[in-house]
Amino acid sequence: MRKPEILFLKQEDVIAAGVKNMDKILELTEKTFNMLSKGEINNPSKTMTLIPNCEDWTSYFMSMPVHIGGDINVAGIKWAAESMENLKTPGMPYGIDVILLSDPTTVMPFAIMDGTLITAMRTSASAGVAAKYLAPKNSEVACLVGAGVIGRTMIMALMSSVPTLNEIRLVDLDLAKAQALADEFEGQIKIIPMDNLKSGASDADIIATMTTARSPIVKDSWIKNNALVIQMSLYEIEDETALRAKKIVVDNWAQLKSKGTHAVFSKLVDENKLSEEKIIELKDVTSEKLQLRNSDDELIIFGSHGVGSLDIMCANYIYQNAIKNDIGTKLNLWDKPIWL
Ligand SMILES: NC(=O)c1ccc[n+]([C@@H]2O[C@H](COP(=O)([O-])OP(=O)(O)OC[C@H]3O[C@@H](n4cnc5c(N)ncnc54)[C@H](O)[C@@H]3O)[C@@H](O)[C@H]2O)c1
């Protein structure tokens, strides 16, 4: 029987256990989508608690429970949160996440860890996997909008999954922030920091948005006909782009559909302007190695709201590395349980 011992991993421990290895996170991400396709993962839609309410939220919490079966066999939950208030507070991340892992048979929890970096890595890794299958052939130029936490990992993911890429236009309202992030990647790839989204997006093969904007910011007329548009938030692209796209690939349609009027795809489906038949899930693309581009003239969108199974898959990998390398702090849930 597993001891009532919980391994606590603070963010520094999660780093020491290998969270910044993007190639590994990309591999785990693709494995997760393939397992979702085989029905080996139970990943119910996340529940959201928006504060103070759905329309005018300034912060929210998401509860993301998962059981991964197959050769992994772990249960877990991510308690994920974001706060607009934190944007005004230097030193506070916009998103802060915690992950708990449990034994599916005994239901004993065995790890609690910072999930903030896991979130950042797996989020962009899902875009990286999408780009591997959906980006135009020989893509050279990507426009990344939002030089924040997800912007950083998006650079890592696209450099790895689109090897033909040779220029990244990094757009942010805060030019100094884009410049500082570009500097972190000096010598690895050409990154041009900018604050003009129109010139960044025009002619780009891949456009990826990961901002905190609450309304569309990328004009449809700036997007070339065969681009891959990656939307990591819910709001940044215009209705016209979703309607013009030949294919829309998403990480989890049930979850995005539940967003109703808050997200571009579900809003258009609710309004009967967009057929659900145009929506394909990424798990079907990876498992069947679907070639969705039939010509050089197809606009494809990848839309993501984040799936918890990616977090639990990565957290389980981090836990195993931590155990192997004696990383973290052990805590006991009890010394001797009472009231049995
Ligand atoms: N799909 C997923 O799985 C997933 C997971 C985590 C975060 N996200 C989303 O990714 C987005 C970014 O999160 P983050 O943690 O990187 O936030 P962040 O605050 O670290 O970075 C956001 C950046 O966007 C910039 N920005 C805001 N509005 C802009 C605009 N109109 N034009 C250009 N730049 C603009 C900000 O200046 C900031 O640098 C959020 O919307 C978050 O909800 C999605």
Side-chain angles (χ1 to χ4, degrees):
M1 210 212 306
R2 206 190 273 271
K3 285 195 282 179
E5 192 173 83
I6 298 179
L7 186 67
F8 178 74
L9 300 173
K10 60 180 179 173
Q11 189 168 98
E12 289 78 1
D13 297 331
V14 174
I15 293 170
V19 75
K20 288 190 189 169
N21 181 345
M22 182 51 89
D23 285 339
K24 185 67 196 178
I25 302 293
L26 281 163
E27 181 195 313
L28 293 171
T29 298
E30 189 156 352
K31 178 182 168 89
T32 307
F33 281 110
N34 288 338
M35 289 182 76
L36 280 164
S37 164
K38 285 195 240 160
E40 292 178 330
I41 296 179
N42 181 1
N43 190 148
S45 291
K46 57 179 102 176
T47 55
M48 296 189 72
T49 307
L50 293 109
I51 300 168
N53 58 54
C54 287
E55 275 70 38
D56 305 313
W57 61 268
T58 55
S59 61
Y60 64 80
F61 293 87
M62 297 188 286
S63 155
M64 303 164 73
V66 171
H67 170 238
I68 303 183
D71 60 337
I72 302 293
N73 199 29
V74 65
I77 187 164
K78 182 168 84 166
W79 180 238
E82 297 187 346
S83 166
M84 298 302 277
E85 281 304 307
N86 290 5
L87 295 176
K88 302 176 212 154
T89 317
M92 282 294 281
Y94 173 61
I96 300 177
D97 307 327
V98 178
I99 297 174
L100 169 69
L101 299 180
S102 297
D103 182 312
T105 309
T106 63
V107 301
M108 276 298 301
F110 63 87
I112 297 176
M113 69 186 77
D114 171 66
T116 311
L117 300 192
I118 290 173
T119 299
M121 292 294 289
R122 70 69 155 146
T123 296
S124 297
S126 68
V129 169
K132 173 177 158 187
Y133 288 95
L134 307 173
K137 218 185 264 169
N138 302 321
S139 291
E140 293 191 1
V141 177
C143 170
L144 271 50
V145 195
V149 173
I150 309 298
R152 175 182 290 99
T153 50
M154 190 63 74
I155 297 173
M156 296 161 76
L158 292 185
M159 276 199 315
S160 194
S161 53
V162 188
T164 52
L165 211 62
N166 58 36
E167 178 179 311
I168 292 177
R169 302 169 185 164
L170 184 59
V171 184
D172 202 288
L173 295 174
D174 182 342
L175 184 57
K177 194 171 175 186
Q179 179 68 64
L181 182 54
D183 291 347
E184 286 183 30
F185 290 85
E186 205 183 330
Q188 297 181 53
I189 191 166
K190 178 179 169 193
I191 302 187
I192 308 169
M194 48 176 78
D195 55 9
N196 185 324
L197 179 48
K198 183 178 178 186
S199 38
S202 301
D203 290 330
D205 300 306
I206 300 171
I207 299 173
T209 60
M210 44 266 147
T211 73
T212 42
R214 300 277 279 269
S215 56
I217 53 173
V218 184
K219 290 256 173 298
D220 184 52
S221 58
W222 302 340
I223 302 172
K224 72 175 183 178
N225 280 343
N226 70 338
L228 169 65
V229 175
I230 296 170
Q231 178 176 254
M232 299 314 288
S233 182
L234 296 173
Y235 312 98
E236 294 124 322
I237 63 167
E238 295 188 314
D239 292 1
E240 290 79 355
T241 305
L243 295 172
R244 180 162 71 94
K246 282 280 188 302
K247 316 254 163 45
I248 296 173
V249 178
V250 298
D251 57 359
N252 181 322
W253 177 233
Q255 200 168 261
L256 271 167
K257 198 175 165 185
S258 71
K259 300 307 297 173
T261 53
H262 299 293
V264 58
F265 311 127
S266 46
K267 182 191 75 160
L268 292 171
V269 167
D270 284 353
E271 291 169 353
N272 288 322
K273 292 180 182 160
L274 179 69
S275 162
E276 277 190 68
E277 282 170 19
K278 204 162 135 181
I279 314 257
I280 301 163
E281 291 197 307
L282 186 57
K283 65 180 164 68
D284 298 327
V285 177
T286 61
S287 61
E288 291 168 39
K289 308 273 177 265
L290 288 182
Q291 280 304 318
L292 292 190
R293 283 188 184 274
N294 299 318
S295 77
D296 286 340
D297 207 22
E298 292 192 331
L299 176 69
I300 298 185
I301 300 176
F302 172 64
S304 158
H305 192 37
V307 284
S309 41
L310 297 177
D311 300 295
I312 302 311
M313 178 71 88
C314 295
N316 189 52
Y317 165 75
I318 293 298
Y319 168 76
Q320 284 168 355
N321 273 352
I323 289 290
K324 254 188 255 158
N325 297 293
D326 202 18
I327 296 167
T329 308
K330 288 177 179 147
L331 308 169
N332 281 331
L333 197 57
W334 53 65
D335 292 325
K336 191 170 182 335
I338 64 163
W339 293 350
L340 304 178

